[in-house]
Amino acid sequence: MTADAFTISQFITDLRQAIAEAPDEKTLLVTVRPMVKRIALAESWRHPRHYQADEEQGFGVHVLHDEPDHSLFIAAISWLPGRGAPAHDHGTWAVIAGVDGPEKNTFYERTDDRSRPGYAELRKTGEKVCGVGDVVALPAGAIHAVTNESGRVSLSFHVYGRHLNYADRSQYDPQNKTAKPFILKTQ
Ligand SMILES: [Fe+2]
């Protein structure tokens, strides 16, 4: 089988066109899902350095593209064994595809009235273990947590409608019912 030579540059061109043409976010996510799966499985962008992760953060964010106005953000994210990201939203849409290894997504919905700063009540709504080529598409406002329960570093391909450190978004502690900003360290 010949490797797919689809490149990040071609993907970005296609993505910009899809964003320009989509009448709404739901339509955009339907269009973008297979595109993200294709680029995630292509060999063109992959490099061993993408497996490096930040010990303190528990994962490594390898920026593959950041639009000049931060309106598009693409990253390869590696996850250390037994680590993950707490429940969080993105402040924009997200499409994520598995590249190497399983990652458990836990989905939540927010049940409080959002009237108290720093306070949030979450209810777990489901789980999905994302393996190689599996895609998770999240509309703006969706909340999930990610955990690598495997014994080795996993890797996934992430596309967001805005650079996450320029989006208004939060991380949550469902047990203590708190919300606070979620800033990524990138590498
Ligand atoms: Fe996320």
Side-chain angles (χ1 to χ4, degrees), residues 144-178:
H144 74 152
V146 179
T147 317
N148 175 6
E149 294 182 335
S150 78
R152 64 186 188 88
V153 176
S154 65
L155 187 68
S156 44
F157 191 96
H158 297 239
V159 182
Y160 303 98
R162 184 156 190 79
H163 190 306
L164 297 178
N165 288 350
Y166 295 85
D168 180 17
R169 59 99 164 232
S170 301
Q171 60 178 300
Y172 302 94
D173 180 337
Q175 274 71 48
N176 293 313
K177 301 183 178 178
T178 58

Side-chain angles (χ1 to χ4, degrees), residues 24-79:
D24 52 50
E25 183 188 75
K26 190 175 178 183
T27 309
L28 177 65
L29 293 182
V30 169
T31 305
V32 169
R33 278 186 77 105
M35 294 166 54
V36 174
K37 177 172 181 168
R38 183 181 175 193
I39 189 66
L41 297 179
E43 296 287 325
S44 64
W45 59 271
R46 289 179 65 174
H47 191 281
R49 69 173 174 274
H50 295 141
Y51 286 84
Q52 295 168 7
D54 183 284
E55 278 288 340
E56 186 184 349
Q57 185 168 239
F59 53 91
V61 181
H62 303 266
V63 180
L64 300 174
H65 180 75
D66 178 17
E67 204 82 333
D69 66 355
H70 308 300
S71 65
L72 195 55
F73 182 59
I74 303 170
I77 304 187
S78 55
W79 303 84

Side-chain angles (χ1 to χ4, degrees), residues 88 90 96 144 160:
H88 61 274
H90 306 98
I96 301 151
H144 74 152
Y160 303 98

Side-chain angles (χ1 to χ4, degrees), residues 57-157:
Q57 185 168 239
F59 53 91
V61 181
H62 303 266
V63 180
L64 300 174
H65 180 75
D66 178 17
E67 204 82 333
D69 66 355
H70 308 300
S71 65
L72 195 55
F73 182 59
I74 303 170
I77 304 187
S78 55
W79 303 84
L80 292 170
R83 304 289 295 279
H88 61 274
D89 57 35
H90 306 98
T92 182
W93 57 266
V95 181
I96 301 151
V99 174
D100 187 7
E103 293 162 6
K104 186 174 88 175
N105 279 257
T106 306
F107 303 102
Y108 298 89
E109 66 178 8
R110 192 159 169 182
T111 56
D112 66 302
D113 65 6
R114 301 168 191 247
S115 63
R116 287 171 57 186
Y119 180 85
E121 292 175 20
L122 300 188
R123 185 176 75 83
K124 182 178 164 182
T125 57
E127 277 182 8
K128 179 183 178 182
V129 176
C130 235
V132 177
D134 289 336
V135 182
V136 172
L138 301 167
I143 299 172
H144 74 152
V146 179
T147 317
N148 175 6
E149 294 182 335
S150 78
R152 64 186 188 88
V153 176
S154 65
L155 187 68
S156 44
F157 191 96

